[in-house]
Amino acid sequence: MMLIDTHCHLDAPEFDRERDALVDAARRTGVTDIVVPAVTVANFATTRDMRDRYGCLPAFGLHPIYTDQHLDSDLEQLDEWLTREKPVAVGEIGLDFYLEQIDPARQERLFAEQLRLAKKHDLPVLLHVRRSADRVLKYLRRFGIERGIAHAFNGSEEQARAYLRQGLKLGFGGAMTYSGSLRIRRLAATLPLDALVLETDAPDIPPAWAARSEPADVARYASELASLRQLDSEQVAEATSANARAALGLPLMPRAN
């Protein structure tokens, strides 16, 4: 199978002692590409290093969880990195209204400015959407953002279809592997297959069988999604990888005969 992990924090310090082995394991399971989004200016360089060392696909952005760490000048640095490094997306960006201590007004201002940069650089977005689906969608419409991925999607079916109408793909991963995640599993089973991409969010959002997630888990996520949809794993792998390439503007791979 040829698979794409559309959201993996491979540069996280949790992986420092075994990163080479984790990448090798992912390659052996068929993971051809790993998208690594940055979260603050402080890890822009380590995100780039994942491209230089492993051929990963970097994205640069200012994560909403770290809003209290972001400076206004970080937006200028982000603009410079987008210009110089030519990443596949602006991300990880978005809104997080689950953590009440994070100033929502400042989150929204930083999010809006990053959407402006995405338009300026003609890049898709990797979105963090936690208890903020409607508000994030409002900003996407305002700025005319029609390419990207809503990472770890956990909204309603109505919200999911609104994101699809906007042109976004929806990311599914570890949460889908829990039998109790009824809404996520139902969405994974019933939304159009051309709407879905696979992701790990490694080392976060662990699957049901592990304490953390790793990029090699994408292969099992493909099997889980195939089971939910009563499809062949190869069919799911081919479709989700094509969806990821479309969302990120990557060249399409030739279809197998």
Side-chain angles (χ1 to χ4, degrees):
M1 293 189 292
M2 300 179 68
L3 296 158
I4 297 177
D5 184 351
T6 62
H7 202 105
C8 174
H9 298 286
L10 188 62
D11 65 317
E14 292 93 324
F15 294 147
D16 282 352
R17 293 186 178 182
E18 52 186 328
R19 193 171 287 112
D20 290 355
L22 291 173
V23 173
D24 286 344
R27 301 297 189 215
R28 289 196 300 273
T29 64
V31 178
T32 60
D33 292 288
I34 300 172
V35 180
V36 183
V39 295
T40 69
V41 166
N43 84 314
F44 282 6
T46 58
T47 299
R48 180 188 57 196
D49 290 346
M50 297 302 99
R51 178 188 63 195
D52 296 344
R53 186 169 181 178
Y54 302 109
C56 297
L57 304 173
F60 301 109
L62 306 176
H63 195 298
I65 285 181
Y66 305 105
T67 293
D68 61 346
Q69 299 180 29
H70 302 323
L71 305 174
D72 288 348
S73 59
D74 290 349
L75 290 165
E76 298 175 8
Q77 290 198 57
L78 175 58
D79 191 10
E80 293 171 1
W81 277 76
L82 296 175
T83 299
R84 184 176 67 248
E85 300 297 337
K86 309 297 183 186
V88 295
V90 178
E92 180 177 356
I93 67 174
L95 299 173
D96 191 312
F97 295 158
Y98 174 75
L99 299 173
E100 296 180 357
Q101 68 271 27
I102 306 175
D103 182 357
R106 179 157 173 78
Q107 280 193 63
E108 292 189 36
R109 191 182 77 78
L110 288 170
F111 182 42
E113 293 300 324
Q114 292 182 91
L115 293 179
R116 287 192 177 94
L117 290 176
K119 290 294 288 186
K120 173 183 175 180
H121 293 275
D122 191 25
L123 287 170
V125 292
L126 299 179
L127 295 169
H128 178 95
V129 185
R130 189 155 66 156
R131 295 193 180 176
S132 59
D134 291 338
R135 195 67 173 169
V136 168
L137 186 59
K138 178 180 178 179
Y139 277 95
L140 299 180
R141 289 169 174 162
R142 179 185 300 177
F143 288 94
I145 302 296
E146 298 177 340
R147 289 191 300 141
I149 298 168
H151 146 64
F153 190 80
N154 189 24
S156 67
E157 181 176 352
E158 180 182 0
Q159 289 169 329
R161 295 192 181 276
Y163 274 78
L164 302 187
R165 289 193 296 272
Q166 188 64 24
L168 278 287
K169 306 295 185 185
L170 307 178
F172 288 85
M176 176 180 61
T177 68
Y178 292 86
S179 60
S181 298
L182 298 180
R183 179 169 62 181
I184 293 174
R185 288 169 67 84
R186 184 171 60 251
L187 289 174
T190 60
L191 288 172
L193 184 57
D194 64 5
L196 312 182
V197 299
L198 296 173
E199 60 169 61
T200 61
D201 197 28
D204 300 319
I205 313 186
W209 58 80
R212 72 174 189 190
S213 60
E214 301 174 359
D217 290 328
V218 173
R220 290 186 67 175
Y221 295 168
S223 297
E224 183 75 17
L225 182 57
S227 177
L228 289 171
R229 301 184 71 95
Q230 298 183 349
L231 296 173
D232 180 83
S233 293
E234 288 279 359
Q235 184 179 356
V236 166
E238 182 176 342
T240 55
S241 294
N243 297 341
R245 291 183 178 280
L248 300 173
L250 303 174
L252 295 178
M253 300 295 288
R255 294 177 62 90
N257 294 325

